[in-house]
Amino acid sequence: MQMKTGVEQAVYATFMLSFLPDKAVLPGEVISQRIGASPTYFQKLLRKLVSADLITSVAGVKGGFKLQRRPEQISVYDIYIAIEGQQSLYTSNGIIQDMLHISPTTQCCLLSDLMAEAESAWITVLKKETIASLVQKFHTATYEQEIDSFHRWLEEKTVY
Amino acid sequence: MQMKTGVEQAVYATFMLSFLPDKAVLPGEVISQRIGASPTYFQKLLRKLVSADLITSVAGVKGGFKLQRRPEQISVYDIYIAIEGQQSLYTSNGIIQDMLHISPTTQCCLLSDLMAEAESAWITVLKKETIASLVQKFHTATYEQEIDSFHRWLEEKTVY
DNA sequence: GTACTTTTACTCGGATACCGTCTGTCCGAGTAATTATGG
DNA sequence: CCATAATTACTCGGACAGACGGTATCCGAGTAAAAGTAC
């Protein structure tokens, strides 16, 4: 039970796109290269973000990806759902129905409520962090030189 | 990212054992049969619970499993850890280090703190529910007839 | 110089292969209660 | 009747096969900007 690495990659891809100026885009291969992911597979992740209306895509030459919403309106939870899907962390297997010889259609799982509550607490934390708040934390980091270098690289790769 | 079914099975196995009288045990195959799991694989789960000191085992004829601690002292979280292991839900892949070209040994993941907080909130909920509290909820259910039937079956299979 | 065609650089989506993990099965070994055997 | 041996019913732990999902790769199709071409 581990979170997919794709979620982390998607978060940082969205994070990266948040630095783009308006109307500018970044090709998928550029993003994947900087993140260190396999280009073709990473494009699938980007398309999941597109389907979730978190980013948009521009086809053709000078095409690429850019944010669809403002960074304050994209939470880590949004990205998590876009990549992992909406299935919950726990789904009952109806074991207690087996134990008591009750019809499987009956709703009486002792764990479902608990697990739902636990997942809700987990989600709450993921919802309160947005791309914008991540950027804020990023700038308080002590890596000004690397951040500058990153910004220069980004500007070089940006497509207008 | 879904919880293993083994966790649910282990919870109900522990739950089942909590109804045993002192000194009595229940063979692993009896438990697995009632839960509807494959006997040989389920024994592996039981042994994980033994390793975690949640239950104890008795070898030989008239052997089986019984609780090691009192039901109030076995939380759902204990069982979860026993089955899934202690690895956390999220482990950083060092993507931001790749992005910024920083040494991978550097600790600067923007997500780690958030994910740790989220997991902590999740764990808190799982810790507060114990086998004892599950039994309590169980008895408030409206399946008195099935519960009676279950108790009779259990007594029949109990090994003293 | 304008209209048209070709090239180029992207996204899009399906098909497929790889690989690690969870699940399931088999086997031999150890253990202890029961039963059988021998005197 | 008692001591010892064999049987039985369990747990224990390793080895291994199958299924599934996440990861990765390839390919053809669509799209739009840029470049080339014809008149």
Side-chain angles (χ1 to χ4, degrees):
Chain A
M1 190 190 184
Q2 278 243 215
M3 177 175 272
K4 303 180 195 175
T5 68
V7 175
E8 185 180 355
Q9 294 173 331
V11 167
Y12 284 117
T14 313
F15 177 80
M16 200 184 289
L17 292 179
S18 73
F19 291 100
L20 290 179
D22 265 13
K23 305 286 180 184
V25 298
L26 209 57
E29 192 171 348
V30 171
I31 307 174
S32 69
Q33 193 175 352
R34 188 76 184 190
I35 284 187
S38 73
T40 53
Y41 175 64
F42 192 71
Q43 294 259 354
K44 293 190 186 305
L45 297 182
L46 289 174
R47 263 180 281 128
K48 285 187 178 182
L49 295 179
V50 172
S51 299
D53 277 328
L54 301 180
I55 68 178
T56 54
S57 60
V58 177
V61 177
K62 294 205 172 185
F65 298 89
K66 64 181 175 184
L67 288 193
Q68 165 79 338
R69 311 180 192 169
R70 289 187 301 150
E72 306 89 50
Q73 292 177 337
I74 302 177
S75 69
V76 173
Y77 176 70
D78 291 330
I79 298 172
Y80 162 76
I81 288 294
I83 302 299
E84 296 249 0
Q86 288 152 342
Q87 60 186 354
S88 57
L89 297 182
Y90 166 82
T91 52
S92 169
N93 297 97
I95 294 176
I96 198 168
Q97 281 89 342
D98 285 0
M99 272 176 58
L100 298 181
H101 297 152
I102 300 176
S103 161
T105 59
T106 310
Q107 174 76 13
C108 70
C109 180
L110 291 174
L111 287 176
S112 292
D113 288 349
L114 175 72
M115 292 302 184
E117 185 187 346
E119 182 168 351
S120 175
W122 191 72
I123 288 175
T124 299
V125 176
L126 261 57
K127 272 185 177 167
K128 77 180 187 190
E129 188 95 70
T130 67
I131 294 297
S133 65
L134 282 180
V135 170
Q136 195 172 358
K137 286 185 180 177
F138 179 67
H139 279 132
T140 64
T142 56
Y143 293 96
E144 293 163 13
Q145 186 180 343
E146 284 83 0
I147 292 176
D148 268 11
S149 167
F150 171 69
H151 278 142
R152 281 196 301 275
W153 169 87
L154 187 65
E155 194 170 354
E156 175 196 337
K157 298 292 186 181
T158 300
V159 179
Y160 296 93
Chain B
M1 190 189 186
Q2 277 243 222
M3 177 174 273
K4 303 180 196 174
T5 68
V7 174
E8 184 180 355
Q9 294 173 332
V11 168
Y12 284 117
T14 314
F15 176 80
M16 201 184 289
L17 291 179
S18 73
F19 290 101
L20 289 179
D22 265 12
K23 305 288 180 183
V25 298
L26 209 57
E29 192 171 347
V30 170
I31 307 174
S32 69
Q33 194 175 352
R34 188 77 184 189
I35 284 187
S38 73
T40 52
Y41 177 64
F42 191 72
Q43 295 258 355
K44 293 189 186 306
L45 298 181
L46 289 175
R47 263 180 284 128
K48 285 187 177 181
L49 296 179
V50 171
S51 298
D53 276 327
L54 302 180
I55 67 178
T56 54
S57 60
V58 176
V61 177
K62 293 205 172 187
F65 299 89
K66 63 182 176 184
L67 289 193
Q68 164 81 338
R69 310 180 194 169
R70 288 186 303 149
E72 305 88 51
Q73 292 178 338
I74 302 178
S75 71
V76 172
Y77 176 70
D78 292 328
I79 298 172
Y80 162 76
I81 288 295
I83 301 298
E84 296 249 0
Q86 286 153 344
Q87 60 186 353
S88 57
L89 297 181
Y90 167 81
T91 52
S92 169
N93 296 98
I95 294 176
I96 198 168
Q97 280 91 341
D98 285 359
M99 271 177 58
L100 298 182
H101 296 153
I102 300 175
S103 159
T105 60
T106 310
Q107 174 75 15
C108 71
C109 180
L110 290 174
L111 288 177
S112 292
D113 288 348
L114 175 72
M115 291 303 183
E117 186 187 346
E119 182 168 351
S120 175
W122 190 73
I123 287 175
T124 299
V125 177
L126 261 58
K127 272 184 177 166
K128 78 180 184 190
E129 187 95 70
T130 66
I131 294 297
S133 65
L134 282 180
V135 170
Q136 196 172 358
K137 287 185 181 177
F138 178 66
H139 279 132
T140 64
T142 56
Y143 293 96
E144 294 164 13
Q145 185 179 344
E146 285 82 1
I147 292 175
D148 268 10
S149 167
F150 171 68
H151 278 142
R152 282 196 300 274
W153 169 87
L154 187 64
E155 195 170 353
E156 174 196 338
K157 297 292 186 182
T158 300
V159 179
Y160 295 94

